[in-house]
Amino acid sequence: MKHFKTSEFDSPDLKGSGKNMNKVLMGFLDIARARAGIPFKITSGYRTKEHNLKVGGRVGSSHCKGLAADIYLPRNSRDRYLIINAIIEIGINRIGIDFNRNFIHVDIDSEKDENVLWTYKY
């Protein structure tokens, strides 16, 4: 990967766990980062079940399978557009946006519905 280190995808409670991330997803994110032309800050990648529970993640979370990542959601609307557009252009079709906690969730979990875009409610 050109734009990311595997360690950026580590679960905070398990050093080196970024190696559990799906290589296809990591490749997609690397390509999307290049297309967007701006940095992507990974706020959550692989999660242990313990960490997922701690952060309020769902049972069956794609993060625990290494099939999901959260990217920091910039406050600048142009940067938001560049990131989301690049993600869609490279073929990721499961995207969640959390304006309260400032992240964009992406995953390639084939066990879940495709072609969906959602926001988080609290």
Side-chain angles (χ1 to χ4, degrees):
M1 285 187 307
K2 183 177 179 181
H3 300 287
F4 297 103
K5 297 177 188 169
T6 304
S7 60
E8 292 179 74
F9 296 88
D10 283 357
S11 186
D13 60 338
L14 185 60
K15 186 176 180 176
S17 59
K19 70 179 183 295
N20 295 320
M21 287 294 294
N22 179 281
K23 303 304 181 223
V24 172
L25 175 61
M26 292 174 77
F28 279 160
L29 290 174
D30 205 47
I31 294 166
R33 161 57 185 91
R35 278 194 188 203
I38 59 171
F40 286 16
K41 179 182 177 192
I42 304 301
T43 60
S44 183
Y46 178 77
R47 292 182 190 161
T48 62
K49 289 182 181 176
E50 295 78 16
H51 183 68
N52 191 57
L53 183 63
K54 181 180 177 182
V55 299
R58 293 182 178 212
V59 173
S61 170
S62 300
H63 286 277
C64 296
K65 302 175 191 177
L67 294 172
D70 295 342
I71 302 163
Y72 174 74
L73 179 67
R75 296 189 191 280
N76 174 306
S77 61
R78 181 68 176 161
D79 289 353
R80 286 180 187 168
Y81 173 83
L82 291 171
I83 292 171
I84 293 168
N85 188 59
I87 289 166
I88 292 169
E89 280 184 352
I90 57 99
I92 292 178
N93 61 17
R94 291 185 44 78
I95 303 168
I97 302 172
D98 190 322
F99 291 102
N100 292 319
R101 295 185 292 172
N102 296 318
F103 70 83
I104 303 165
H105 170 94
V106 297
D107 76 64
I108 58 167
D109 194 335
S110 62
E111 295 179 1
K112 298 180 179 175
D113 290 340
E114 294 182 346
N115 301 318
V116 292
L117 173 66
W118 67 91
T119 58
Y120 293 82
K121 296 180 183 177
Y122 299 95

